[in-house]
Amino acid sequence: AASRVEIVVKVNINADGGMGTSFAHVAPTGWLNLIADAVHNFTDGVAIAAAFARRGVPAGWRTAIAVLAHELPQEIGDFSILRVAGFTDFQALGFNLLSATVAIAGTALTFMLLALSQST
């Protein structure tokens, strides 16, 4: 027998606890895509930081441009997956943007770890 996993997230739009939005209608594939995309974006940030730190500024910029070039079509595809999974246009754009910011965390963490490894 197949099991079904349901993820329910409620967000209150109004600060006074008024009308809110429920994501109960969103298919699990939408959430899985967001998690996978966040991990992917994190590793993109690691690659960018490593290129700057280990190969210099020109190589860092080349890596950043290459990552951007492969991210643009992927993010369009991710948006489509999120829409089919049940997110509205606004929600899909917002969650996709949030997922993309994880690259900044990957970059920052990599720079911090590299700095720590050189100071010891």
Side-chain angles (χ1 to χ4, degrees):
S3 62
R4 181 177 171 177
V5 176
E6 288 189 34
I7 298 173
V8 178
V9 179
K10 292 205 177 225
V11 178
N12 283 328
I13 295 173
N14 298 329
D16 62 359
M19 285 188 60
T21 302
S22 171
F23 294 102
H25 66 283
V26 174
T29 53
W31 298 110
L32 291 172
N33 182 65
L34 284 171
I35 293 167
D37 192 36
V39 171
H40 170 197
N41 290 334
F42 184 88
T43 60
D44 284 344
V46 170
I48 291 168
F52 272 105
R54 298 292 188 216
R55 299 290 178 219
V57 173
W61 281 115
R62 286 191 302 270
T63 303
I65 291 167
V67 166
L68 179 64
H70 100 261
E71 278 301 313
L72 289 175
Q74 176 170 337
E75 295 304 328
I76 293 168
D78 288 338
F79 175 81
S80 299
I81 291 169
L82 296 177
R83 287 294 292 125
V84 170
F87 288 98
T88 65
D89 285 346
F90 182 76
Q91 292 167 340
L93 284 172
F95 278 111
N96 216 7
L97 178 62
L98 185 64
S99 172
T101 62
V102 177
I104 298 167
T107 303
L109 183 63
T110 301
F111 277 132
M112 287 189 292
L113 291 175
L114 288 171
L116 284 173
S117 71
Q118 292 175 353
S119 67
T120 58

